[in-house]
Every structure is written in C-alpha cells, then in structure tokens.
Amino acid sequence: MKLQDVLKSDVALPLAKRTALNFMITNTSFSEKFLDFFKQYDISTQQFNVLRILRGQKGKPANLATIQERMIHKNSNTTRLIDKLLVKGFVKRTICPENRRKVEIVITESGLYLLETIDPKLNELEEKAIQPLTTAEAETLNILLEKLRG
Amino acid sequence: MKLQDVLKSDVALPLAKRTALNFMITNTSFSEKFLDFFKQYDISTQQFNVLRILRGQKGKPANLATIQERMIHKNSNTTRLIDKLLVKGFVKRTICPENRRKVEIVITESGLYLLETIDPKLNELEEKAIQPLTTAEAETLNILLEKLRG
DNA sequence: ACATTACATTTGTATATACAAATATTGTAC
DNA sequence: GTACAATATTTGTATATACAAATGTAATGT
C-alpha cells in the first residue's frame, strides 16, 4: 500500500517527511503482527524479549540493571515486567547474597519450554513478514536501517 | 550502531530475524526522537497526528470514525484522545445536529497556531533524522518500506 | 563509628494503549 | 408504531509505558 493511499492525499511530501511517515506506518503494521502473535502465548513482546535475554545468560543469573540495559525499550518498568513473568512461573527472582541491593533473575524450565515452543513459530512469522522483499532487498534494508540509526 | 553491538552477541542470525530485529531497534530510536520532540509542546505523537488530520479537513468538521480511520494507531481510544485536546483548547466538539449519534470535531485557532509553530521545527527534526542517508538511499528506503507493508 | 554519597530496585502516579461492554440514536421490517 | 438490528460514541477495565520519588543497602571519607 502506497503512502498516498494511507494518507488519502496526493500532496507531494518532502523526502524527509515522507520517509518518517513511511517508517512509522510500516512499523505499526509490522509490530501489530508480533503483538498478535505473542497474544496467543499470553505474553507481551517485551516479556518475550526479557525471556530471550535470560535464556542467553545460559544459567547465569541476571540482575535488573543487566536486563534493562539489553532491552529494546529501556524505559519500561522492569520490576513490574519481571513480576508478570514471576506470576506465570517463567522466571525466578532471589536477592543476591553478596550484594543485597541486587536481585538475581533466572529463567525457569517452564520459561525455557515456552521459548522452545515459540521459536519455530516466530521464525515462520518473521519469514512471512519479510516475504514481500527479495533476499537482496532485505539485505539492503538491513544496511539502510543500521545507517539510519547513525 | 551495528546489530551485533546492540545484541552484544556475534551469533549469525537468519536474514528474517535479523531484519525484524533491526527494524524494531531502529524504530525505537526513531520514535523516541519524535516523542521527545513533542514533549516540549505537551502533546503526544498521536495528539499531533489528530490535529494534523483535523487541519487537513480545511474547516470541515470530522467525526470520530473519520479521525480513527486516518490515524496511524487505530486502536487507541479516540474519545479520550480528543478529550485531552479539548482540555488544552486545541479542538472543539459538538453533537452533529443531523445525526445525534455523531460528533463534529474541528480544530481551533489555537490548535492551528500550535501546528504552525511546530511545523518548521518538525521539518528540521525529520531532516536531521534521515541525515545519515543520502538522497538515493532514502528513496530506496521508502520503496523498500512500502514493499514491506505488502 | 557516623554521616554522606552512590547504587539497585521498588513504588507511586500519570498517561497511553487495547479491547469489551454499555449507552444513545437512527434505520428497518413487519 | 413497536421490536429489532445497525451505527456512533462513550465508559469500564486491564495492561503498558514513562518518569520521579522513595526505600533499602553498600561504599567512602573523616
């Protein structure tokens, strides 16, 4: 769908504004797909990301600051996000014995199992999402996105 | 900043996953810029978009359904969003006399003035945001984004 | 040892987002 | 003209996001 169709206008926009709008619109439709996907597993995109970070720790516990640092949206409330995962039994949280200010968070068996269930389905969704692009186009997009971040 | 630096890992990711992650990360840094920008005017990105839609009506009142249809995030609560703009004096809301189920929303002088103040500054921000790309790269990005939406 | 500062997390509060249910009004079938 | 369906918006509720203030703990200087 072209930008003009979304905006219901044929006014020519300057390149910068056009790019910004195209980017936001594409992101909305893109992130909605992932939101819908995770809904069936009753977790949010952020909760999934935290579980993935914890799995990457390979058994080593992570404290809140470490998780926050690696999250895509750093401003969300990590304490309450972990609370949600605790209630669902996907993580364990204990106070760090060496430094009682810190907490140690690890992913549970149940959390690992959830990730294993999600993994192949998510791969499918990702493949499907970039389907409209050829391999070369997708590679170009990656380069442009990294450049855009500066 | 490269994807590996963000993820603090050198594991090679499949193209689809890499693209999805790159896209989300870039969008986060991108939309944060706009969020910060609008903060100084004490409105949200969505509120600004609604004001812009209303200005596009050129005096013709818009009802809620019309606004919602043209919004980028269609799922947000348009009634309460308009409430906020009402309190700030940027819009007026009256019940449509021909069909009392509908409401008629118009932008006020104060709302138009706000947009005129914001416009040039926003243009600057947009220019600055795509600065890392050459004109040709930005054009390519636009094409790829539209393709990606399908 | 005591006060001060730094650190790590939690809590409070305001707003935003998402979706379902409720309300009010209009249109339609009989 | 009354019941029922359709339309348009509002309200309720739950969760998510954003940021500041509060809490509890450890480190440092004197």
Short mmCIF file of all heavy atoms in Angstrom, two decimals, chain A residues 23 138-150, chain B residues 1-7 13 18-19 21-23 25-27 29 129 132-133 137 141:
data_model
loop_
_atom_site.label_atom_id
_atom_site.label_comp_id
_atom_site.label_asym_id
_atom_site.label_seq_id
_atom_site.Cartn_x
_atom_site.Cartn_y
_atom_site.Cartn_z
N PHE A 23 8.07 5.20 7.52
CA PHE A 23 8.69 4.39 8.55
C PHE A 23 7.70 4.07 9.66
O PHE A 23 7.54 2.93 10.08
CB PHE A 23 9.91 5.11 9.11
CG PHE A 23 10.82 4.21 9.84
CD1 PHE A 23 11.76 3.45 9.15
CD2 PHE A 23 10.74 4.08 11.21
CE1 PHE A 23 12.59 2.58 9.82
CE2 PHE A 23 11.58 3.22 11.89
CZ PHE A 23 12.51 2.46 11.19
N ALA A 138 16.12 -7.32 1.16
CA ALA A 138 16.16 -7.42 2.62
C ALA A 138 17.55 -7.06 3.14
O ALA A 138 17.68 -6.35 4.15
CB ALA A 138 15.77 -8.82 3.07
N GLU A 139 18.58 -7.51 2.45
CA GLU A 139 19.94 -7.16 2.85
C GLU A 139 20.16 -5.66 2.75
O GLU A 139 20.75 -5.05 3.65
CB GLU A 139 20.98 -7.90 1.96
CG GLU A 139 21.03 -9.40 2.17
CD GLU A 139 21.65 -9.83 3.52
OE1 GLU A 139 21.99 -8.96 4.34
OE2 GLU A 139 21.76 -11.05 3.73
N THR A 140 19.67 -5.07 1.68
CA THR A 140 19.78 -3.61 1.52
C THR A 140 19.06 -2.90 2.66
O THR A 140 19.58 -1.95 3.25
CB THR A 140 19.18 -3.17 0.17
OG1 THR A 140 19.83 -3.89 -0.88
CG2 THR A 140 19.35 -1.68 -0.05
N LEU A 141 17.86 -3.39 2.97
CA LEU A 141 17.07 -2.78 4.05
C LEU A 141 17.86 -2.80 5.36
O LEU A 141 17.92 -1.80 6.08
CB LEU A 141 15.73 -3.50 4.21
CG LEU A 141 14.82 -2.98 5.31
CD1 LEU A 141 14.47 -1.51 5.09
CD2 LEU A 141 13.53 -3.80 5.39
N ASN A 142 18.47 -3.93 5.67
CA ASN A 142 19.27 -4.03 6.90
C ASN A 142 20.38 -2.99 6.93
O ASN A 142 20.61 -2.34 7.96
CB ASN A 142 19.87 -5.44 7.02
CG ASN A 142 18.90 -6.41 7.68
OD1 ASN A 142 18.70 -6.35 8.88
ND2 ASN A 142 18.26 -7.24 6.89
N ILE A 143 21.05 -2.83 5.80
CA ILE A 143 22.14 -1.85 5.73
C ILE A 143 21.60 -0.43 5.96
O ILE A 143 22.15 0.35 6.74
CB ILE A 143 22.85 -1.93 4.36
CG1 ILE A 143 23.61 -3.27 4.27
CG2 ILE A 143 23.80 -0.75 4.16
CD1 ILE A 143 24.08 -3.62 2.87
N LEU A 144 20.47 -0.12 5.31
CA LEU A 144 19.89 1.21 5.44
C LEU A 144 19.40 1.47 6.87
O LEU A 144 19.55 2.57 7.40
CB LEU A 144 18.74 1.40 4.43
CG LEU A 144 19.15 1.39 2.96
CD1 LEU A 144 17.93 1.57 2.07
CD2 LEU A 144 20.19 2.49 2.67
N LEU A 145 18.84 0.45 7.49
CA LEU A 145 18.34 0.62 8.85
C LEU A 145 19.50 0.91 9.82
O LEU A 145 19.39 1.80 10.66
CB LEU A 145 17.59 -0.64 9.30
CG LEU A 145 16.22 -0.88 8.64
CD1 LEU A 145 15.66 -2.24 9.03
CD2 LEU A 145 15.22 0.22 9.01
N GLU A 146 20.59 0.16 9.66
CA GLU A 146 21.74 0.40 10.54
C GLU A 146 22.32 1.79 10.30
O GLU A 146 22.72 2.47 11.24
CB GLU A 146 22.81 -0.68 10.32
CG GLU A 146 22.32 -2.05 10.78
CD GLU A 146 23.44 -3.05 11.04
OE1 GLU A 146 24.59 -2.78 10.64
OE2 GLU A 146 23.15 -4.11 11.64
N LYS A 147 22.34 2.19 9.05
CA LYS A 147 22.84 3.53 8.71
C LYS A 147 21.94 4.61 9.33
O LYS A 147 22.42 5.61 9.85
CB LYS A 147 22.84 3.70 7.19
CG LYS A 147 24.24 3.92 6.63
CD LYS A 147 24.20 4.26 5.16
CE LYS A 147 25.55 4.80 4.72
NZ LYS A 147 25.63 5.00 3.27
N LEU A 148 20.65 4.35 9.27
CA LEU A 148 19.67 5.33 9.76
C LEU A 148 19.82 5.56 11.26
O LEU A 148 19.60 6.68 11.75
CB LEU A 148 18.25 4.81 9.46
CG LEU A 148 17.09 5.76 9.67
CD1 LEU A 148 17.25 7.02 8.84
CD2 LEU A 148 15.78 5.08 9.30
N ARG A 149 20.20 4.53 11.98
CA ARG A 149 20.40 4.67 13.43
C ARG A 149 21.62 5.53 13.74
O ARG A 149 21.79 6.02 14.85
CB ARG A 149 20.63 3.30 14.08
CG ARG A 149 19.41 2.46 14.19
CD ARG A 149 19.53 1.45 15.32
NE ARG A 149 20.54 0.43 15.12
CZ ARG A 149 20.36 -0.68 14.43
NH1 ARG A 149 19.21 -0.90 13.83
NH2 ARG A 149 21.33 -1.58 14.31
N GLY A 150 22.49 5.71 12.75
CA GLY A 150 23.67 6.57 12.93
C GLY A 150 24.79 5.86 13.69
O GLY A 150 24.64 4.76 14.15
N MET B 1 25.25 2.20 14.61
CA MET B 1 25.49 1.07 15.53
C MET B 1 24.99 -0.23 14.93
O MET B 1 23.84 -0.34 14.50
CB MET B 1 24.76 1.32 16.86
CG MET B 1 25.29 0.43 17.97
SD MET B 1 24.36 0.65 19.48
CE MET B 1 25.46 -0.06 20.69
N LYS B 2 25.86 -1.21 14.92
CA LYS B 2 25.52 -2.49 14.30
C LYS B 2 24.64 -3.33 15.21
O LYS B 2 24.66 -3.18 16.42
CB LYS B 2 26.81 -3.25 13.96
CG LYS B 2 27.63 -2.62 12.84
CD LYS B 2 28.14 -3.69 11.87
CE LYS B 2 28.61 -3.07 10.57
NZ LYS B 2 29.72 -2.12 10.75
N LEU B 3 23.94 -4.26 14.58
CA LEU B 3 23.03 -5.13 15.33
C LEU B 3 23.78 -5.92 16.40
O LEU B 3 23.31 -6.04 17.53
CB LEU B 3 22.30 -6.07 14.37
CG LEU B 3 21.22 -6.96 14.97
CD1 LEU B 3 20.12 -6.13 15.59
CD2 LEU B 3 20.64 -7.89 13.92
N GLN B 4 24.96 -6.43 16.04
CA GLN B 4 25.74 -7.22 17.00
C GLN B 4 26.10 -6.41 18.24
O GLN B 4 26.14 -6.95 19.35
CB GLN B 4 27.06 -7.72 16.38
CG GLN B 4 26.90 -8.63 15.19
CD GLN B 4 27.01 -7.85 13.89
OE1 GLN B 4 26.17 -6.99 13.60
NE2 GLN B 4 28.04 -8.12 13.10
N ASP B 5 26.33 -5.11 18.06
CA ASP B 5 26.66 -4.26 19.21
C ASP B 5 25.45 -4.11 20.13
O ASP B 5 25.59 -4.08 21.34
CB ASP B 5 27.12 -2.88 18.72
CG ASP B 5 28.34 -2.99 17.81
OD1 ASP B 5 29.18 -3.86 18.06
OD2 ASP B 5 28.43 -2.21 16.85
N VAL B 6 24.28 -4.00 19.52
CA VAL B 6 23.07 -3.88 20.33
C VAL B 6 22.82 -5.17 21.08
O VAL B 6 22.56 -5.18 22.29
CB VAL B 6 21.85 -3.54 19.45
CG1 VAL B 6 20.60 -3.43 20.31
CG2 VAL B 6 22.07 -2.25 18.68
N LEU B 7 22.90 -6.28 20.38
CA LEU B 7 22.61 -7.58 20.99
C LEU B 7 23.77 -8.11 21.82
O LEU B 7 23.61 -9.07 22.56
CB LEU B 7 22.25 -8.60 19.91
CG LEU B 7 21.04 -8.27 19.02
CD1 LEU B 7 20.82 -9.39 18.02
CD2 LEU B 7 19.79 -8.06 19.87
N LEU B 13 22.52 -14.36 12.71
CA LEU B 13 21.07 -14.58 12.72
C LEU B 13 20.57 -14.77 11.30
O LEU B 13 21.11 -14.19 10.37
CB LEU B 13 20.38 -13.37 13.35
CG LEU B 13 20.67 -13.10 14.82
CD1 LEU B 13 20.08 -11.78 15.24
CD2 LEU B 13 20.13 -14.23 15.68
N ARG B 18 17.05 -11.19 11.60
CA ARG B 18 17.93 -10.03 11.61
C ARG B 18 17.18 -8.78 11.14
O ARG B 18 17.29 -7.71 11.75
CB ARG B 18 19.11 -10.33 10.66
CG ARG B 18 20.24 -9.37 10.70
CD ARG B 18 21.57 -10.06 10.35
NE ARG B 18 21.50 -10.93 9.17
CZ ARG B 18 21.75 -10.53 7.92
NH1 ARG B 18 22.06 -9.28 7.68
NH2 ARG B 18 21.69 -11.39 6.92
N THR B 19 16.41 -8.92 10.11
CA THR B 19 15.64 -7.79 9.59
C THR B 19 14.61 -7.33 10.61
O THR B 19 14.47 -6.13 10.87
CB THR B 19 14.94 -8.17 8.28
OG1 THR B 19 15.88 -8.76 7.39
CG2 THR B 19 14.30 -6.96 7.63
N LEU B 21 14.60 -7.67 13.87
CA LEU B 21 15.27 -7.02 15.00
C LEU B 21 15.79 -5.64 14.62
O LEU B 21 15.57 -4.67 15.34
CB LEU B 21 16.42 -7.89 15.51
CG LEU B 21 16.01 -9.06 16.40
CD1 LEU B 21 17.16 -10.02 16.63
CD2 LEU B 21 15.48 -8.54 17.74
N ASN B 22 16.46 -5.56 13.49
CA ASN B 22 16.97 -4.28 13.02
C ASN B 22 15.84 -3.26 12.89
O ASN B 22 15.99 -2.10 13.25
CB ASN B 22 17.65 -4.45 11.66
CG ASN B 22 19.16 -4.30 11.76
OD1 ASN B 22 19.65 -3.55 12.60
ND2 ASN B 22 19.87 -5.01 10.92
N PHE B 23 14.73 -3.73 12.38
CA PHE B 23 13.60 -2.84 12.18
C PHE B 23 13.07 -2.31 13.51
O PHE B 23 12.85 -1.11 13.68
CB PHE B 23 12.49 -3.59 11.44
CG PHE B 23 11.48 -2.67 10.85
CD1 PHE B 23 11.73 -2.07 9.63
CD2 PHE B 23 10.32 -2.38 11.51
CE1 PHE B 23 10.82 -1.20 9.08
CE2 PHE B 23 9.40 -1.50 10.97
CZ PHE B 23 9.65 -0.92 9.76
N ILE B 25 14.58 -2.19 16.47
CA ILE B 25 15.56 -1.35 17.16
C ILE B 25 15.61 0.05 16.53
O ILE B 25 15.60 1.06 17.23
CB ILE B 25 16.95 -2.01 17.13
CG1 ILE B 25 16.94 -3.29 17.96
CG2 ILE B 25 18.02 -1.05 17.63
CD1 ILE B 25 18.12 -4.20 17.72
N THR B 26 15.63 0.09 15.22
CA THR B 26 15.68 1.37 14.54
C THR B 26 14.42 2.18 14.85
O THR B 26 14.49 3.37 15.13
CB THR B 26 15.81 1.18 13.03
OG1 THR B 26 16.88 0.30 12.77
CG2 THR B 26 16.07 2.51 12.33
N ASN B 27 13.29 1.50 14.86
CA ASN B 27 12.05 2.22 15.13
C ASN B 27 12.03 2.80 16.53
O ASN B 27 11.54 3.91 16.73
CB ASN B 27 10.84 1.31 14.96
CG ASN B 27 9.57 2.08 15.26
OD1 ASN B 27 9.19 2.97 14.53
ND2 ASN B 27 8.95 1.77 16.39
N SER B 29 14.58 3.85 18.39
CA SER B 29 15.40 5.05 18.49
C SER B 29 14.77 6.19 17.68
O SER B 29 14.84 7.35 18.06
CB SER B 29 16.82 4.77 18.01
OG SER B 29 16.89 4.73 16.60
N ALA B 129 16.87 13.53 11.21
CA ALA B 129 16.72 12.09 11.47
C ALA B 129 17.19 11.25 10.28
O ALA B 129 17.74 10.18 10.46
CB ALA B 129 15.28 11.77 11.83
N PRO B 132 21.70 10.63 8.13
CA PRO B 132 22.72 9.60 7.85
C PRO B 132 22.57 8.96 6.46
O PRO B 132 23.49 8.29 6.01
CB PRO B 132 22.47 8.54 8.94
CG PRO B 132 21.78 9.27 10.03
CD PRO B 132 20.96 10.33 9.36
N LEU B 133 21.45 9.14 5.80
CA LEU B 133 21.24 8.54 4.48
C LEU B 133 21.44 9.58 3.37
O LEU B 133 21.10 10.75 3.54
CB LEU B 133 19.83 7.97 4.36
CG LEU B 133 19.38 6.92 5.38
CD1 LEU B 133 17.96 6.47 5.07
CD2 LEU B 133 20.32 5.73 5.37
N GLU B 137 19.66 6.81 -1.07
CA GLU B 137 19.40 5.77 -0.07
C GLU B 137 18.02 5.96 0.57
O GLU B 137 17.29 4.99 0.79
CB GLU B 137 20.48 5.80 1.01
CG GLU B 137 21.81 5.20 0.55
CD GLU B 137 22.94 5.45 1.54
OE1 GLU B 137 22.82 6.40 2.36
OE2 GLU B 137 23.92 4.71 1.49
N LEU B 141 14.98 3.41 0.61
CA LEU B 141 14.33 3.00 1.86
C LEU B 141 12.82 3.14 1.74
O LEU B 141 12.07 2.23 2.13
CB LEU B 141 14.86 3.85 3.02
CG LEU B 141 14.26 3.55 4.39
CD1 LEU B 141 14.50 2.10 4.81
CD2 LEU B 141 14.82 4.48 5.47
#
